[in-house]
């Protein structure tokens, strides 16, 4: 069994995520998202979908990007 790095649950069905040269161990997708999903720089929500990026900054949507001065980003209509 392996211990989740977020909640410390010792779970026999835990899983590993290999990313950026590191190995992470989680017991659920919720814990994986909590640790690995980027955070919107405007509203601070976890970005679980595609999100948008501008100048190395991450946002959950084009609206949040525009609020922070990135007017070039638009959502699909």
């Amino acid at each position: 069994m392996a211990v989740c790095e977020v909640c410390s649950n010792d779970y026999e069905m835990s899983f590993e995520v290999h990313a950026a040269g590191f190995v992470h161990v989680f017991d659920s997708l919720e814990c994986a998202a909590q640790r690995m999903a980027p955070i919107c720089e405007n509203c601070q929500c976890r970005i679980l979908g595609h999100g948008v990026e501008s100048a190395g900054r991450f946002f959950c949507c084009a609206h949040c990007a525009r609020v922070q001065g990135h007017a070039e980003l638009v959502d699909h209509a």
Side-chain angles (χ1 to χ4, degrees), residues 38-42 47 50-61:
I39 298 172
C40 177
E41 293 195 34
N42 185 62
I47 303 170
H50 293 285
V52 294
E53 179 184 0
S54 179
R57 298 177 68 197
F58 293 92
F59 304 96
C60 64
C61 63

Side-chain angles (χ1 to χ4, degrees), residues 3 14 17-18 21 23 28-30 34 36 38 42 46 50 55 67:
V3 176
S14 61
V17 175
H18 297 249
V23 178
S28 66
L29 289 176
E30 179 182 6
Q34 186 67 27
M36 301 198 66
N42 185 62
R46 292 273 174 201
H50 293 285
V67 168

Side-chain angles (χ1 to χ4, degrees), residues 1-5 9-17 24-28:
M1 290 196 284
V3 176
C4 177
E5 66 182 62
N9 185 25
D10 193 2
Y11 185 50
E12 68 181 35
M13 294 179 63
S14 61
F15 59 93
E16 294 180 350
V17 175
H24 302 275
V25 177
F26 304 108
D27 70 338
S28 66

